[in-house]
Structures are given as structure tokens and as C-alpha cells.
């Protein structure tokens, strides 16, 4: 996405000096909405100059002025946001009309990211469900991990493994984007979250900063990892470890250097680690539609996200698991508030509002002379942290293709399992969850075009130019999935149609000439065949036939001479001949007329003359 620019004013009761809405122009490098009628956006700024400068993201450094209305204090970017939503809805409507798979992609994006819920009939709770205590946090299990570990006996990366050297080589990329978390899981004895958390906290020296006992930390992260379901294809500890490591890299971006406090960094990493704990492998809407206990407990509002928070904090109360035991009361309260804000922001139905907030921040940002963001207020910092964890949660398409494809296979497997459950229950199958009709390639292209790329491009504007390589990888991956979409037969372009028609016309013309010549030859053959048949009927051989033809020709000459002498008789004969030709087809006349009959007719005409 590009920078927000002014468009023609729209009627408003608000007396702000900057009336009107805003329209989002296309990116100079890429936009999923290019090339479609109705998706073109105005790139010209208003004459009044709502903003200064222009061009690339590197040049966009001057914030908008008069951004908020003095009367109602509402941001004027609300006009741009309405415009963007209308444009997105138009694009999704067009996508849904293209094909059945396109309709599924459109429905998935609308119901998942736009907070549009379909009306469904919720079943009544069973007697067993009525008897369950609502105060109990489900999913918390009693687990025991060794608490006898000390600094002297602690494994190098917090987990016991026979592949420590191979794990060390993989963790050399701990601070890089695109770490292969699948290899980390393989070499860490299937403990990717515990290993990544331990490595990051050691890298950032957080254990020492907040006086977290090493054995307590290891016990907690292993207990936390055990509460991720290994039989869930996507939302498991692998995904949690990937989001945590991605958050760690984003926190280290140069544009955010020294912006966040140590407590805020601790909260962001903790939030990323717990953000999907005890995920059952189905969506919020599935839990609502099935009248689940979780949906009832959290009143259908961010059901899973609230549950992840409850489990994550509840595990701190387990034996030797309180990693925040040495924080002050005020620090614990601040951390809890930060973590709740960030985990609730991972609810995908809040995606559009998060994107709008991030866009507002991009247009009003202030940077130091060294290019570092100035986030003086808490509200600004928590807003960036919310979007940071959200970006990390939607970072699969920005990773190297071989890693991204593995994530795609996992999420589609999880979707299809939910679709099977819905089919067994006789429910309407959720978008992209029907394994018989879903198009994996189209789903990923639509996911990138309408969700991932707008988010990451706005983040790239915020931290420019730190995210350029991430955006390049994202666009390459999008192009790859686009190229793998099965192509259905389509009509050629108009220019090719004309050339093809010319070729067809030439071919048909040549074919017509050949057919006409063949028809002429065929007519001559028909004549000969008819004469042969007549001769067979009169028992004449070929020699007699030639003699008869010569006699016939001589007789016709004599007839012509006699007819010239008597013009009146000749005119009558011609009129009779013309009427006969009109009434009978020429071909039948050739077949039905024999030389003998012609001879008899000509002799009778001569006698009449």
C-alpha cells in the first residue's frame, strides 16, 4: 500500500479544516488490486497540500497535518478507511463471482478477517454441558518436569538432545528472518518452543534482567509446550516457536532500536509464546456454532484468544513455573496488561482495525535524525507491539518458499479436518474447509493479495527500509503460487481471434475451391454413369454408344438448320425446354434422360417440322 492522499471532499457536518476522506493509492512496486476495472485509485494529492513530499516510501517522512477534527476529535483517516473497505468488498465480490473456488476464498477472507459472521442455528446445550462448572479453566493438565536442573547441569539450549551440534548450526540463524523451525524441532527432540524461548532469553539476557531462575524458566516453557496439542496440524508448538522467533527478529529491527523497555520486550515474547496454547484445531466460529463450553464462557467474543491467555497465565501457578516471581507488583500488572492486549490482537477478525491503526501511525510517525521511530507514549508503543505480534502470526508467506509450503500444507490439513467434523455433524462446511472443492493455490494467492501483503507493506512503511527483503520474498512466493494455479481453457485475445478467423477463412476458401472442382468432376462422372445405366438397359455396348452419339450430334445439327428456317417453331421449343429445366433439377434430368430418348425426341421434332 502506498501513502494516504487526499481525494475530493465528501459531505460532512464536521467543521474541520481538512474535509473529505482519504484514498489509498497503489504501491509503486506491487498491488493485488491492479489491472481490474474499478480498482484504480487516485494518485494525485489535493491542491491544499494535506501532506508534503511524495514518491517512494523512503521519501514519505512528513506526517499529515490537522489529522484530527477539533470538534469531534475523530481521525480524518476514517474516510480513507471507509474507502479501503468499500474497495476490498468490491474486490472480494468480484472474486466470489469468478468460480466456486474463488467464492470459497472470498468467504474465508470475509468471515475470518473482516469480522463478518454468518447466521447459524446454535444447538441447545446438553444435560452434561449444563452440569460443567463454568469457573474451571479447561485444558490445564497436571504435569511434572524435573526441577533439579541447575546452571551446571542445564543443557546448552535448555533441552536434552543427541544433535546438539546440528541444533547449534540451525540456531546460528536465531536473529535472522527465515529460520527453519522444522529443522530446529528435529534436532531439539521435538521441543522447538522450549529451545527457541531458552535461546532468545539467553540472547537478550532477560533471565538475568528479571531474575528468572533457570530451572523455573525451563520448567515453565516445557509445561507450556506440553499444553500445545501435538496432534493439531498447524496450531501447535511449532507455530508458537515460529511466531516467537519472528517477534524476536522484528523487535531487533533498526527502526525500533531502543524504543521498547525490557518489560515490553519480555511481554511481547511471552505473548507470542502463549498466543495459541491449548488450541483445539478448530476456529472460533466452529466453537460458537457447536455451542461449546469455551464459547459460552467467553460470550462468543475472541473465544480462543481469551482461552489461550487464561491457560498461559494459569500455568504460572503450577509448581516451580512462576517465571515472574521476582517482578514487582506494578511490573506484573503492566506485563499482564501488555500480554492481554497483544494476544487478543491475534484474533483475525480484528485484522482490519489493526491495519487501520497501523496506517494511521505510518502517516503520523516521527523519526529521529538516525531514522529511529519516536514512540513517546504508551499507546503508541502498545499499538506497534500489537501489530508486531500480528505480523509475526501472519508471517508464513514471507518465509523462504520451502518453509512456507510446509506451513501451507499444515494449515490446509487442519482446515480439512474441521470440514470433516462439520460434515459428520451435518453442519454447513466452513470456507476453505471442504477438501473436495478447496483450491490451495487460489487460497494462498487471495490470502496474500487481500490480507498479508497490505499488512506487511504498511509495516514496511513504518520501519522503512528494514522490511524490504521480507516484502520481496512475499511477492516471489505469491508469484510462485499464482503460477501453480491450474489454468482452464480460455478464449484467445481479440487480436488472435481476428488472425485465426483469417486463417480459417483462407482454409475454407481453398477447401471450397477443391470441393467445387471435385463436384464438377463428380457431375461428369454422374453423367457418364447415367449414360452407362441407360446403355445397359438398352443392351448396347460402347461402340454402339459412340456411333449413337455421332448420329445424335448430326441430327441435332440438322435440327438446328431446320429450326433456323422456322423461327416460330424454334421459339416454342425453347419455351418448352426452359419450363422443363425449371421444374426438374439438372442432375435428375441428366440421370433420367437416356441417349435413346433424346434420339426419339429429336426425330419426332424433326417430323413435326
Amino acid at each position: 500500500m502506498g501513502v494516504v492522499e487526499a481525494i475530493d471532499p465528501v459531505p460532512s457536518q464536521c467543521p474541520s479544516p481538512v474535509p473529505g476522506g482519504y484514498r489509498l493509492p497503489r504501491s509503486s512496486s506491487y498491488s493485488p488490486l491492479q489491472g481490474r476495472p474499478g480498482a484504480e485509485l487516485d494518485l494525485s494529492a489535493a491542491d491544499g497540500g494535506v501532506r508534503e513530499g511524495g514518491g517512494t516510501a523512503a521519501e514519505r517522512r512528513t506526517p499529515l497535518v490537522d489529522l484530527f477534527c477539533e470538534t469531534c476529535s475523530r481521525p480524518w483517516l476514517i474516510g480513507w478507511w471507509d474507502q479501503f473497505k468499500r474497495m476490498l468488498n468490491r474486490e472480494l465480490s468480484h472474486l466470489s463471482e469468478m468460480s466456486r473456488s474463488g467464492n470459497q476464498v472470498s468467504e474465508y477472507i470475509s468471515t475470518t478477517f473482516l469480522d463478518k459472521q454468518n447466521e447459524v442455528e446454535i444447538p441447545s446445550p446438553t444435560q452434561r454441558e449444563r452440569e460443567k462448572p463454568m469457573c474451571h479453566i479447561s485444558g490445564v493438565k497436571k504435569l511434572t518436569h524435573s526441577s533439579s536442573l541447575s546452571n551446571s547441569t542445564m543443557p546448552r539450549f535448555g533441552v536434552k538432545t543427541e544433535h546438539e551440534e546440528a541444533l547449534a548450526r540451525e540456531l546460528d540463524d536465531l536473529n535472522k528472518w527465515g529460520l527453519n523451525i522444522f529443522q530446529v524441532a528435529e534436532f531439539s527432540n521435538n521441543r522447538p518452543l522450549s529451545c527457541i524461548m531458552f535461546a532468545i532469553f539467553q540472547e537478550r539476557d532477560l533471565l538475568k534482567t528479571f531474575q528468572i531462575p533457570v530451572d523455573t524458566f525451563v520448567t515453565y516453557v516445557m509445561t507450556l509446550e506440553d499444553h500445545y496439542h501435538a496432534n493439531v496440524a498447524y496450531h501447535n508448538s511449532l507455530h508458537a516457536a515460529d511466531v516467537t522467533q519472528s517477534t524476536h527478529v522484528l523487535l531487533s529491527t533498526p527502526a525500533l532500536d531502543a524504543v521498547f523497555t525490557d518489560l515490553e520486550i519480555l511481554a511481547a515474547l511471552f505473548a507470542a509464546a502463549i498466543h495459541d496454547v491449548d488450541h483445539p484445531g478448530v476456529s472460533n466460529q466452529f466453537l460458537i456454532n457447536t455451542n461449546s463450553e469455551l464459547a459460552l464462557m467467553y460470550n462468543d467474543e475472541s473465544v480462543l484468544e481469551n482461552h489461550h491467555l487464561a491457560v498461559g497465565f494459569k500455568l504460572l501457578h503450577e509448581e516451580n513455573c512462576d517465571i515472574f516471581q521476582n517482578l514487582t507488583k506494578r511490573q506484573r500488572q503492566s506485563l499482564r496488561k501488555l500480554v492481554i492486549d497483544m494476544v487478543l490482537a491475534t484474533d483475525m477478525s480484528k485484522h482490519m482495525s489493526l491495519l487501520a491503526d497501523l496506517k494511521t501511525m505510518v502517516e503520523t510517525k516521527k523519526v529521529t535524525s538516525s531514522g529511529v521511530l519516536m514512540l513517546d507514549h504508551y499507546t503508541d508503543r502498545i499499538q506497534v507491539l500489537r501489530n508486531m505480534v500480528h505480523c509475526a502470526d501472519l508471517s508464513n508467506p514471507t518465509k523462504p518458499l520451502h518453509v512456507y509450503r510446509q506451513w501451507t500444507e499444515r494449515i490446509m490439513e487442519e482446515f480439512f479436518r474441521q470440514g470433516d467434523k462439520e460434515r459428520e455433524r451435518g453442519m454447513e462446511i466452513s470456507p476453505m474447509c471442504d477438501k473436495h472443492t478447496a483450491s490451495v493455490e487460489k487460497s494462498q494467492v487471495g490470502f496474500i493479495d487481500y490480507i498479508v501483503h497490505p499488512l506487511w507493506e504498511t509495516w514496511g512503511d513504518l520501519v522503512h527500509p528494514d522490511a524490504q527483503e521480507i516484502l520481496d520474498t512475499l511477492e516471489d512466493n505469491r508469484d510462485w503460487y499464482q503460477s501453480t494455479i491450474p489454468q482452464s481453457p480460455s478464449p484467445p485475445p481479440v487480436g488472435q481471434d481476428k488472425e485465426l478467423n483469417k486463417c480459417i477463412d483462407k482454409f475454407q476458401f481453398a477447401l471450397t475451391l477443391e470441393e467445387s472442382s471435385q463436384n464438377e468432376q463428380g457431375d461428369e462422372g454422374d453423367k457418364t454413369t447415367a449414360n452407362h445405366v441407360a446403355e445397359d438397359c438398352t443392351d448396347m455396348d460402347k461402340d454402339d454408344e459412340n456411333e449413337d452419339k455421332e448420329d445424335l450430334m448430326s441430327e441435332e445439327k440438322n435440327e438446328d438448320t431446320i429450326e433456323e428456317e422456322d423461327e416460330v417453331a424454334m421459339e416454342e421449343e425453347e419455351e418448352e425446354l426452359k419450363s422443363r429445366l425449371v421444374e426438374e433439377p439438372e442432375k435428375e434430368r441428366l440421370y433420367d434422360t437416356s441417349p435413346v430418348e433424346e434420339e426419339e425426341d429429336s426425330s419426332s421434332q424433326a417430323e413435326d417440322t
Side-chain angles (χ1 to χ4, degrees), residues 7 23 102 116 129 163-164 201 208-209 264 282 301 318 360-361 379 382 417 509 591:
I7 60 173
R23 182 173 292 176
K116 294 182 178 179
E129 290 173 338
H163 309 283
E164 194 169 277
F201 273 61
K208 181 178 179 181
T209 301
E264 290 166 343
V282 294
E301 182 65 27
E318 297 299 305
T360 303
M361 174 160 287
T379 54
I382 187 57
R417 289 180 183 177
F509 179 70
Y591 275 93

Side-chain angles (χ1 to χ4, degrees), residues 159-174:
V159 294
K160 295 179 180 179
T161 175
E162 298 177 356
H163 309 283
E164 194 169 277
E165 293 302 322
L167 180 60
R169 287 193 296 270
E170 291 297 329
L171 291 179
D172 286 341
D173 296 333
L174 181 67

Side-chain angles (χ1 to χ4, degrees), residues 336-352:
R336 178 171 168 80
K337 186 178 188 312
L338 285 164
V339 172
I340 291 173
D341 276 348
M342 284 183 273
V343 174
L344 290 180
T346 63
D347 183 351
M348 294 302 168
S349 67
K350 306 296 188 294
H351 167 79
M352 287 302 174

Side-chain angles (χ1 to χ4, degrees), residues 91-104:
E91 291 297 319
L92 293 179
S93 298
H94 173 76
L95 180 65
S96 65
E97 295 170 358
M98 292 177 62
S99 62
R100 185 175 181 180
S101 58
N103 180 63
Q104 282 204 43

